[in-house]
Every structure is written in structure tokens, then in C-alpha cells.
Amino acid sequence: MTGTWEHTDAGVLRLPSGRLVRGRGLRRPLPAGPSPAYGIYLLGKRPPELPWESRWLRWPDFWLPSDRAQARAALGEAWDRAGAERVEVACDGGRGRTGTALACLAVLDGVPADRAVEFVRRHYDRHAVETPWQRWYVRRFAG
């Protein structure tokens, strides 16, 4: 087992189950502390190679994932792995796409879909999930 984040680590969201997932913006320096064991990178183009296991989801800035089935599978894997490993979710700024993905993880963790954006804004970043279509995506993620 790789271990988990500390809830006090920068950008770490505690889900109701106790799972911890770090969200971050790739334009900012890598936070101090342990590296993730697994990361999902939500970008319009492939990210550079990383020294940990990672998955790229094509997700243009301010929009939705290009392949929603692939996104659902990747987020399901991230949620599952966060039970025992350090998992991070990141995009360029760490708010819109990252917040949307974290809200979807909250839905997988049992937060009602119509309250997941509020949950992430309260516990991760008050500006998370930036666009109306990102909010729409979260509300429909459960169904």
C-alpha cells in the first residue's frame, strides 16, 4: 500500500467515506510532500511523462471530457484507488476541470449529484466547477 494524503496537505479533498484526493493546477509548482501513486490529468493535449502512474483524459479547458465513457471509467478507477493510494486529479488551473472531476468523485462517494458542486466548493476551492455545462455534467454523472 502506498499510503494516503494528509487532509492538511494543500489541495486535498476529504470525501465523505474518508478517501483523500488531491486536486491541483499544473501551472503551479508541485506541492511539497509525497508524490501521488496515480494521477488523472484533464487536458486538451497529452501531458509530459510523469514519474508515477498516470492517465490522460482529453478534456478541453472550460468544456467537458471528449469521451464521457472513458472519463467515467477513469474517475471510477481513481475513486477506487483513493481508498488505499495517493491519487491526484489535475488540469492547468486546478479549478474548472479538476473541480468537476472532484465533484464526480464526490457523487461516486455518495454525495447527491445536485449537491456535489457545493460540496467541492466548500471543501476544496470556492471557485471550483467554472461553467454551466460543467455543473450540468456533475448533476447528470450519477445517471
Side-chain angles (χ1 to χ4, degrees):
M1 177 158 86
T2 307
T4 59
W5 305 109
E6 294 296 321
H7 184 56
T8 56
D9 289 341
V12 173
L13 173 68
R14 180 184 296 277
L15 295 168
S17 66
R19 285 174 166 82
L20 300 173
V21 179
R22 181 171 76 187
R24 75 176 176 105
L26 297 172
R27 288 192 298 245
R28 293 188 285 276
L30 185 65
S35 296
Y38 180 69
I40 297 181
Y41 300 95
L42 317 167
L43 302 165
K45 63 180 182 175
R46 186 174 297 281
E49 288 296 318
L50 296 162
W52 50 81
E53 186 180 352
S54 65
R55 186 167 181 176
W56 168 51
L57 287 178
R58 184 181 301 275
W59 192 328
D61 200 8
F62 297 108
W63 291 97
L64 299 176
S66 297
D67 184 327
R68 293 185 192 167
Q70 181 186 43
R72 181 174 280 282
L75 292 169
E77 180 180 6
W79 179 84
D80 187 53
R81 292 178 75 156
E85 299 177 70
R86 289 185 301 271
V87 172
E88 86 169 358
V89 175
C91 65
D92 287 328
R95 288 184 167 170
R97 293 169 284 182
T98 296
T100 302
L102 291 174
C104 291
L105 292 176
V107 170
L108 292 174
D109 205 63
V111 175
D114 63 343
R115 299 187 61 203
V117 171
E118 173 191 346
F119 176 86
V120 170
R121 287 178 174 168
R122 185 178 326 114
H123 299 287
Y124 169 69
D125 185 312
R126 65 188 182 101
H127 299 290
V129 191
E130 296 175 312
T131 67
W133 37 93
Q134 289 172 342
R135 289 190 298 276
W136 173 89
Y137 181 73
V138 173
R139 283 192 308 272
R140 283 154 185 77
F141 188 76

